[in-house]
Amino acid sequence: MQIEPYDPHHLDAVVRLSLRAWAPVFDSIQKVMNADVYQAFYPNHWRVSQQKAVEDVCAAEDTNVWVAIDAGSTVGFVAVKLHVWDSMGEIYMVAVEPDFQGQGIGSALIKFAPCWMKDADVCGDG
């Protein structure tokens, strides 16, 4: 597995893996949330709003995105937002293809992000 910068040709794979990875989360939320409140948050289904959220993050100028590639396939991603006004960075979004979960890919992406932030001198100590 390798981590490389996001390129727009990764978008479809990133959206697909994100929706598959987050399905159990949204199923769980729906089970515990009041049905009317859930419908108010996700009037067109959670997949519609999450797909837009992923697409927006991947296109945002204030976000840096990397993908995890395994055997030529996109199997995960991490999005990092930099907050230069307070010298901070934020892991904004992360997902791993369910068939590849439990193999350390998410951990590698989470470890990669702060190392990149330090190299980008976000914290002001690089």
Side-chain angles (χ1 to χ4, degrees):
M1 190 273 305
Q2 63 187 29
I3 297 172
E4 61 184 51
Y6 167 83
D7 184 88
H9 80 271
H10 294 118
L11 181 61
D12 288 341
V14 168
V15 167
R16 282 192 311 271
L17 76 86
S18 298
L19 295 178
R20 284 193 295 270
W22 296 332
V25 174
F26 283 95
D27 289 346
S28 176
I29 291 169
Q30 187 175 14
K31 288 176 185 171
V32 298
M33 187 179 276
N34 174 283
D36 292 332
V37 173
Y38 186 86
Q39 182 63 29
F41 273 96
Y42 309 108
N44 298 316
H45 198 280
W46 69 266
R47 290 179 181 274
V48 173
S49 60
Q50 285 307 115
Q51 178 173 337
K52 181 168 178 5
V54 171
E55 291 169 347
D56 290 349
V57 161
C58 288
E61 290 189 20
D62 67 340
T63 306
N64 294 272
V65 180
W66 291 271
V67 293
I69 305 293
D70 187 65
S73 296
T74 305
V75 297
F77 87 106
V78 64
V80 177
K81 286 193 175 204
L82 301 179
H83 305 283
V84 293
W85 65 89
D86 63 0
S87 298
M88 300 275 295
E90 168 189 7
I91 296 175
Y92 189 74
M93 200 176 276
V94 64
V96 174
E97 172 66 51
D99 292 342
F100 288 81
Q101 291 176 1
Q103 298 178 24
I105 294 169
S107 295
L109 289 166
I110 295 296
K111 288 177 186 173
F112 172 86
C115 291
W116 177 83
M117 286 184 258
K118 184 172 179 158
D119 288 345
D121 200 22
V122 174
C123 301
D125 63 328

